[in-house]
């Protein structure tokens, strides 16, 4: 099935429906359900609840239309530092959806932490998010990093060999990179294929360095290029086709 096609057969689990409609990914739907923000026929939805075609569904008081958008959206956005990538109420810093103010309902593909900047993908294609999440430890993400102390080739080699870090809910694990190279006395580029929380920051801390600036410049074949901070562009044509082919 093409990633932009709809496959809805009722009854259907609420998280799968929201994904198929392009409202959010299944993972995000599960979080919204846990926060009692999804309402089915006047009652808070529960995990695993199924929906019939005539049911009334709303999120945060906004009605969900049971129609798939005709033309899907995928945006490449240059996220500024200080903007969060979640719609959760736990962090009231301005979130990326509020910042962009896009006229259609879109949501982030993955995360870029509040203190980081650079390339973030946003879409209304729930299945695209699901596929990228499933391939999270296989696709490349490239970053430019500046730290607070001088580094040399031995630092780069340690990154390549792997560094033991503490990750919430996972304990102590070895984090590594696909490639890394020096770009200055206190700067380097790094390519990850793993998707651990704040991985680069934790790796640098384990090696006695603190990250001052972290900027993502590539996700798979999608590059930040000359896109200015706070601006976005559509991903389409051959660029989109290549991305979908790699998933």
């Amino acid at each position: 099935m093409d990633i932009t096609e709809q496959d809805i057969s009722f009854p259907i689990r609420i998280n799968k429906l929201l994904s198929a409609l392009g409202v959010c990914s299944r993972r995000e739907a599960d979080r919204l359900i846990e926060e009692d923000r999804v309402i089915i026929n006047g009652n808070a939805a529960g995990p695993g609840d199924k929906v019939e075609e005539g049911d009334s569904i709303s999120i945060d008081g906004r009605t969900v239309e049971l129609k798939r958008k005709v033309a899907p959206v995928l945006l490449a956005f240059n996220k500024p530092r200080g903007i969060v990538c979640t719609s959760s109420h736990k962090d009231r810093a301005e979130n990326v959806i509020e910042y962009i103010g896009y006229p259609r309902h879109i949501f982030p593909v993955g995360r870029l932490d509040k203190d980081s900047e650079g390339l973030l993908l946003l879409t209304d294609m729930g299945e695209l998010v699901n596929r990228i999440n499933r391939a999270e430890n296989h696709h490349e993400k490239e970053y430019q990093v500046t730290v607070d102390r001088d580094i040399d080739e031995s630092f780069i080699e340690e990154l390549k060999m792997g560094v033991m870090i503490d990750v919430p809910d996972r304990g102590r694990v070895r984090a590594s990179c696909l490639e890394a190279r020096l770009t200055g006395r206190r700067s380097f580029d790094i390519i990850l294929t793993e998707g651990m929380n704040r991985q680069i920051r934790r790796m640098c801390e384990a090696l006695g360095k603190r990250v001052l600036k972290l900027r993502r410049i590539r996700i798979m074949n999608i590059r930040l290029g000359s896109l200015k901070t706070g601006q976005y562009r559509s991903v389409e044509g051959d660029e989109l086709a290549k991305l979908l082919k790699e998933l």
Side-chain angles (χ1 to χ4, degrees), residues 25-85:
S25 68
R26 294 190 197 183
R27 184 181 299 177
E28 178 73 359
D30 289 337
R31 186 182 65 78
L32 293 173
I33 291 168
E34 288 178 3
E35 295 179 358
D36 293 330
R37 296 166 63 186
V38 180
I39 305 298
I40 303 174
N41 297 329
N43 299 311
D49 280 0
K50 291 189 176 182
V51 177
E52 297 288 351
E53 189 167 3
D55 286 343
S56 170
I57 305 166
S58 64
I59 299 176
D60 293 337
R62 297 170 59 184
T63 300
V64 175
E65 298 291 341
L66 299 186
K67 294 180 180 179
R68 181 65 168 90
K69 296 176 177 66
V70 175
V73 172
L74 178 61
L75 304 178
F77 173 58
N78 189 346
K79 185 188 89 69
R81 185 174 180 178
I83 302 297
V84 298
C85 295

Side-chain angles (χ1 to χ4, degrees), residues 225-244:
S226 60
L227 194 63
K228 294 182 180 179
T229 300
Q231 293 187 342
Y232 62 83
R233 63 175 177 83
S234 295
V235 177
E236 52 195 10
D238 291 342
E239 188 179 31
L240 175 59
K242 184 176 180 180
L243 173 70
L244 299 181

Side-chain angles (χ1 to χ4, degrees), residues 18 56 93 132 142 164 183 194 201 204 206-207 224 226 232:
L18 294 177
S56 170
I132 290 181
E142 186 173 355
M164 297 302 297
T183 57
E194 299 172 310
R201 295 180 186 277
C204 289
L207 297 177
L224 187 63
S226 60
Y232 62 83

